[in-house]
Amino acid sequence: MSDLSTIRSEALSAVEAAADLAALDAARVSVLGKKGSVTGLMKTLGALAPEERKEFGARVNQLKGEIETALEARKGMLSSSALAARLASEKIDVSLPVRPEAQGTVHPIGQVMDELAGIFGDMGFTWAEGPDIEDDWHNFTALNIPPDHPARQMQDTFYLPPRADGTPMVLRTHTSPVQARTMLSKDVQKMLADGGSLRIIVPGRTYRIDSDATHAPMFHQVEGLVIDRGTHMGHLKGCLVDFCRAFFEIDDLPLRFRPSYFPFTEPSAEVDIGCSWKDGELRIGAGDSWLEILGSGMVHPRVIANCGLDPAIYQGFAFGMGIDRIAMLKYGINDLRAFFDADLRWLRNYGFSALEMPR
Ligand code: PHE
């Protein structure tokens, strides 16, 4: 029974001596754990006479309470000093300059595609797409270029192995096959039959066997197509004049429509914009020279018929433009090949901030 004060003082000094939370827990186990000293005292109670048990039991309980309080207090102290130590060692100096972060840029082609979508979007055009690997029928035949047509030689085509069913396949040489794909769509035919009109632009990759400073085997075009019942050449002109002036940001930019030939349009026109050359430098705008930037025309009635529409009811215009070319002209880039080199220094110089809103 004299144990009691010894156990008390040993227990309390173990609690006081605990230097951290782990040591404190070890102290708790040595006193209150299964084999702890106070637990041991509790176990002796059963063997005592009732009177003694009552009196001694009360003292053991009080001792237990006292030790628990000491444990709690010590625990509180150790946790707050552990926190203080962490705060001291993990201090963040918010005044340090931030580490420079690599920031990407928008490629000029992506930028120009966004600009196209913005300008044509304002005129009611929506964005359409088609496959890069195209069948010969959509790329040529539907567009009034039959197999033996000389126009097939105009475009140096990458031919691919035919499909299992014998369908001849190509890498599309222009975005025009998407004209056919769109007109053939049941939804579009229904929309037209219901009196609606079709207006799409088709920005995308195109392929021809060609490679120099201004030609790459892979390049980009944007196709435009309008189909309804009343569209005429005047609409084609107005649309392209508005587009070119908005795109090049020159309100009085002169345009010249030159008669031309495409199998899928009739009449056809190539479009030039005014420019001038000073000390070998190109300036876009009214001047003494012209730059060709796109092909266009009224959709050939045979193309409309090939695509399942009645040319006696429907007509419209189409145009095709090199995206790389207009990007080079607008942003003063003189070698097309740099577009596809993925050179980060070039991209940092010619790229656009992702946060810049396209116009
Ligand atoms: N597809 C033609 C080309 O690649 C451009 C074009 C499109 C011309 C639509 C007229 C109408 O050269």
Side-chain angles (χ1 to χ4, degrees):
M1 243 160 263
S2 60
D3 278 1
L4 208 62
S5 64
T6 320
I7 287 176
R8 179 179 180 275
S9 64
E10 276 177 7
L12 291 178
S13 53
V15 169
E16 274 323 296
D20 56 31
L21 290 168
L24 183 65
D25 199 52
R28 181 188 62 77
V29 169
S30 76
V31 179
L32 301 174
K34 252 190 197 160
K35 293 181 180 153
S37 50
V38 171
T39 314
L41 284 175
M42 307 280 249
K43 284 181 186 159
T44 66
L45 291 177
L48 296 177
E51 265 315 296
E52 240 179 325
R53 185 191 304 156
K54 195 174 169 200
E55 190 255 345
F56 188 62
R59 288 169 62 197
V60 173
N61 261 332
Q62 196 215 338
L63 171 60
K64 194 179 169 215
E66 194 187 343
I67 292 167
E68 280 170 347
T69 310
L71 279 167
E72 263 323 293
R74 185 71 187 157
K75 190 177 173 191
M77 217 208 81
L78 289 174
S79 333
S80 57
S81 61
L83 179 64
R86 261 186 76 188
L87 285 173
S89 68
E90 294 177 9
K91 192 157 64 181
I92 294 171
D93 184 349
V94 293
S95 69
L96 280 175
V98 292
R99 289 198 187 89
E101 217 176 277
Q103 198 163 21
T105 55
V106 176
H107 193 284
I109 292 176
Q111 168 75 17
V112 166
M113 284 186 178
D114 285 348
E115 294 175 17
L116 291 167
I119 298 169
F120 283 111
D122 284 348
M123 297 193 231
F125 286 74
T126 55
W127 179 298
E129 289 181 358
D132 288 14
I133 296 175
E134 187 54 281
D135 60 69
D136 184 276
W137 188 84
H138 285 95
N139 195 81
F140 293 121
T141 311
L143 298 169
N144 198 30
I145 315 175
D148 51 359
H149 196 286
R152 291 209 178 194
Q153 265 74 64
M154 268 164 63
Q155 302 187 346
D156 296 302
T157 309
F158 284 107
Y159 285 94
L160 298 174
R163 282 228 189 93
D165 65 2
T167 310
M169 303 299 290
V170 300
L171 285 178
R172 67 177 180 190
T173 55
H174 49 179
T175 41
S176 303
V178 187
Q179 284 190 33
R181 289 187 171 276
T182 308
M183 281 188 268
L184 281 161
S185 125
K186 289 281 162 283
D187 289 347
V188 167
Q189 299 206 347
K190 180 171 184 322
M191 181 273 291
L192 287 170
D194 290 344
S197 52
L198 174 67
R199 290 196 192 95
I200 52 161
I201 54 163
V202 186
R205 279 189 286 269
T206 45
Y207 306 83
R208 287 182 203 176
I209 302 170
D210 212 350
S211 188
D212 60 36
T214 54
H215 296 89
M218 184 198 76
F219 58 106
H220 298 81
Q221 283 192 340
V222 59
E223 192 83 6
L225 175 68
V226 174
I227 298 286
D228 60 19
R229 295 159 198 248
T231 288
H232 53 67
M233 193 83 186
H235 295 118
L236 177 158
K237 284 186 74 177
C239 174
L240 293 175
V241 168
D242 283 353
F243 164 73
C244 290
R245 291 181 176 169
F247 179 76
F248 291 104
E249 298 171 3
I250 302 174
D251 288 343
D252 62 352
L253 178 66
L255 270 77
R256 184 170 75 171
F257 290 75
R258 262 184 305 106
S260 183
Y261 170 75
F262 300 101
F264 32 91
T265 47
E266 179 61 35
S268 305
E270 275 172 324
V271 178
D272 303 337
I273 54 173
C275 70
S276 51
W277 293 89
K278 196 164 175 275
D279 307 325
E281 283 254 338
L282 171 69
R283 202 186 61 87
I284 294 176
D288 52 11
S289 194
W290 297 97
L291 264 181
E292 181 196 321
I293 63 157
L294 64 91
S296 67
M298 300 307 294
V299 180
H300 197 295
R302 218 172 285 147
V303 173
I304 291 186
N306 288 345
C307 298
L309 292 170
D310 182 352
I313 300 175
Y314 299 107
Q315 62 188 35
F317 66 82
F319 56 87
M321 197 164 18
I323 292 180
D324 319 81
R325 180 161 167 78
I326 60 172
M328 289 168 79
L329 290 173
K330 179 166 178 178
Y331 294 113
I333 300 165
N334 50 29
D335 193 334
L336 174 68
R337 289 167 293 201
F339 275 142
F340 310 118
D341 281 347
D343 180 337
L344 285 178
R345 291 163 307 173
W346 185 88
L347 284 166
R348 260 177 227 123
N349 185 50
Y350 286 104
F352 293 81
S353 158
L355 297 177
E356 230 165 81
M357 286 299 288
R359 35 165 301 124

